[in-house]
Amino acid sequence: MKTDKLANTFRVDSGKHFRLKDFDPADTGQWRSKEHAAQALQQGIARMAELQDKLYAQNRWAMLLIFQAMDAAGKDGVIKHVMSGVNPQGCQVYSFKSPSDLELEHDFLWRTTRCLPERGHIGIFNRSYYEEVLVVRVHPEILKSQKMPDCLIGKNIWDERFEDIRCFERHMARGGTVIRKFFLHVSRKEQKRRFLERLDEPEKNWKFSAADIRERQCWDDYQEAYEAMIRNTASEHAPWYVVPADNKWFTRLVVSTVIVATLESLDLAYPKVDDAKRKELEAAKKVLLSKK
Ligand code: ATP
Ligand code: MG
């Protein structure tokens, strides 16, 4: 399988028939091992660097990458891997935790909107406004702390949020922000293994949080919420990628392949130098060469 095909294998751009159980968290395509995929991983990173340079220079498109997942699915590692291939000057990463008091004074899209990437930049969201239809749906008591007028919290609240998100993403896409969304799909069994590793290995202890175990108890509710989220918010202009996450190297390969394929699909080019600019460059060169 070529890597460009790989990008499409896990793409969901219409939610209609989407079922999470059709996707296997342990899938590794035709790759047998990390070593087998090493070259493709390396090439992806190198290509990303070239394309990002053009994205930045051209300053027309922005790219927003959204990562959602259960704990220990590998969001941080994937983001580190992607970042290793890009110039930090044109890339920002934002992590969204429980909202602050100030954030709760605003609508649910406010805090992430302030962090959207500017033209020429890549913005990475480690969690996002999608938490509003995930953790908040699984724990509806969180809604009560959101200070909304009671009469606005009805039984259609989740559909309303899906609609708001769809409209918001369409608006962003129409303005030149290319959105790609990744659900890192880890199995329950692999999550357990990784949690045990965090408990057993001293240098991984810091990653462990008791809250992670509590959330694990709600596994099925989360899977349902993820499925509903993807069904309702997958679109051509803001597709979801359901990325197998039981093997970290494969997750990284798929994500970098999607990013490269997306950048390749844009009309990226270095800005053209017009006659006036060329004259300016020639004059500058003359000055430099004529003096010490
Ligand atoms: P790590 O890899 O370090 O564990 P993390 O993204 O899991 O990273 P944590 O501080 O462990 O970060 O958890 C952040 C928590 O904040 C998550 O449980 C998430 O569900 C929660 N959260 C994020 N956004 C919201 C929101 N809008 N409302 C309520 N909780 C939220
Ligand atoms: Mg966590």
Side-chain angles (χ1 to χ4, degrees), residues 71 75-76 96-99 111 126-128 131-132 135-136 142 146 198 206-207 209 212 215 222:
D71 287 298
K75 278 186 286 113
D76 291 2
F96 297 99
K97 316 255 175 192
S98 298
R111 66 170 176 164
N126 181 351
R127 302 186 187 271
S128 65
E131 291 292 324
E132 295 290 336
V135 65
V136 184
I142 298 178
Q146 294 195 337
R198 289 178 179 186
W206 65 274
K207 285 191 185 176
S209 139
D212 294 353
E215 292 313 293
Y222 269 108

